[in-house]
Amino acid sequence: MGRFFNLDSPLMTFLSKMADLMILNLLTLICCIPIITAGDAMTALYYMTVKMVKNEECYIVKGYFKSFKENFKQATIIWLIALLVGIILVGDFLILRNSTLSFGKVIMVLITVVTVIYIFTMIYIFPVLSRFENTVKNTIRNSFLMSILNLPKTILLVIINLVPAVVLLVTLQAMPIVILFGFSVPAYVASMLFVKIFKRFEPEEEEEQSDELETLSFIREEQEQKQRALEEEAQEEEGAQAVQEAAPEEKSEEENQE
């Protein structure tokens, strides 16, 4: 029985991870209460869940608020833009639902397409912000492009994020579980996919860095060879000069002997 309660046992590892996810969920809920900080709260959540998936050591509370502080400005701007767009889309749906316009169905289809694009982009935007440094404009653009390039995974990510809402619709008795794990567990599961998706973009930077290091290493070796060659030439010149200086002295000694 002792091995089950060992700190490195699968059971204790699982319980430790669940405890971390519970803490993350409560932190996210608290930070979402002001509403205006909801985007930053989600960014910090994904910052930590990605680290957990990659088994990177980090203190949960300290790491969460580190990301919260660093991404506050961009995350808040993106969240306010997203909130405004979302309100406009909901308003358009409500207006068109009660509209008698002949071309209302066409507009409804267009708004539906825009809404799908909006949802796809929102699924990626805070994980992307938590992982990559970029401008607000490029973060939004890259999130949209990633969602299209990984369409099957994007649909799966949408389903993962809808699970807590569906559970609540089925039974309100699941409310305590949603309060404890409703944000963090879906984010953790989604992060397993995001780690694979982001890997397509991260290695390129690593390769560029490694190429740069190889170039610098090559230049350094070449310079060292040149330096060694100069030192050898200097030593040869010193040796030749020493021989020339020694020759007259030998000659003068021979003349004195005569």
Side-chain angles (χ1 to χ4, degrees):
M1 289 294 291
R3 63 181 181 181
F4 288 104
F5 296 99
N6 190 299
L7 291 176
D8 296 327
S9 68
L11 176 62
M12 295 304 293
T13 301
F14 172 77
L15 292 175
S16 175
K17 188 161 290 185
M18 293 307 294
D20 290 341
L21 290 173
M22 184 177 67
I23 293 169
L24 283 175
N25 202 82
L26 294 174
L27 287 173
T28 304
L29 277 175
I30 293 168
C31 293
C32 282
I33 290 173
I35 298 177
I36 196 172
T37 58
D40 199 14
M42 295 303 297
T43 303
L45 173 63
Y46 277 104
Y47 174 80
M48 290 307 304
T49 53
V50 168
K51 278 186 169 292
M52 289 174 68
V53 170
K54 297 181 76 174
N55 293 319
E56 295 179 3
E57 292 185 4
C58 186
Y59 293 106
I60 295 297
V61 177
K62 185 178 179 181
Y64 183 91
F65 283 109
K66 175 179 178 290
S67 173
F68 192 92
K69 182 180 178 181
E70 290 177 351
N71 296 301
F72 179 79
K73 184 178 178 180
Q74 283 192 325
T76 303
I77 292 171
I78 290 171
W79 168 243
L80 291 176
I81 294 170
L83 194 60
L84 179 61
V85 173
I87 291 169
I88 292 171
L89 289 172
V90 171
D92 288 340
F93 271 115
L94 293 175
I95 292 169
L96 288 171
R97 190 179 63 178
N98 301 319
S99 175
T100 56
L101 294 172
S102 58
F103 53 87
K105 290 183 179 180
V106 176
I107 297 175
M108 182 66 81
V109 171
L110 291 174
I111 292 176
T112 302
V113 172
V114 173
T115 302
V116 170
I117 293 171
Y118 170 81
I119 293 170
F120 283 2
T121 305
M122 289 303 298
I123 288 292
Y124 281 78
I125 203 161
F126 296 119
V128 169
L129 179 60
S130 72
R131 197 67 189 172
F132 302 98
E133 292 184 7
N134 219 323
T135 61
V136 170
K137 179 182 176 182
N138 286 339
T139 299
I140 296 171
R141 181 178 62 87
N142 292 342
S143 299
F144 167 69
L145 292 174
M146 284 185 189
S147 69
I148 300 302
L149 289 171
N150 301 277
L151 194 56
K153 290 180 181 178
T154 301
I155 295 170
L156 181 57
L157 286 166
V158 172
I159 295 170
I160 291 169
N161 282 274
L162 286 175
V163 168
V166 173
V167 170
L168 279 179
L169 288 173
V170 172
T171 173
L172 287 174
Q173 293 178 347
M175 180 66 76
I177 297 174
V178 172
I179 291 173
L180 293 176
F181 301 103
F183 286 111
S184 59
V185 170
Y188 180 80
V189 176
S191 294
M192 294 179 184
L193 294 174
F194 283 126
V195 167
K196 294 177 182 178
I197 292 168
F198 294 160
K199 192 175 287 186
R200 293 178 56 188
F201 303 94
E202 290 174 346
E204 293 180 1
E205 296 179 1
E206 293 175 2
E207 285 174 8
E208 288 175 3
Q209 290 176 357
S210 64
D211 289 341
E212 184 178 358
L213 289 172
E214 287 176 4
T215 304
L216 291 173
S217 177
F218 174 79
I219 292 171
R220 187 170 61 252
E221 289 176 1
E222 195 175 50
Q223 289 176 341
E224 289 174 355
Q225 289 177 356
K226 288 181 179 179
Q227 185 65 29
R228 284 197 296 270
L230 290 172
E231 289 175 357
E232 289 175 359
E233 288 179 3
Q235 289 175 357
E236 288 177 359
E237 289 178 359
E238 288 177 1
Q241 188 175 359
V243 170
Q244 289 176 357
E245 289 175 354
E249 290 179 359
E250 291 177 358
K251 186 176 180 180
S252 61
E253 287 177 1
E254 289 176 358
E255 290 174 354
N256 290 333
Q257 289 175 359
E258 290 176 357

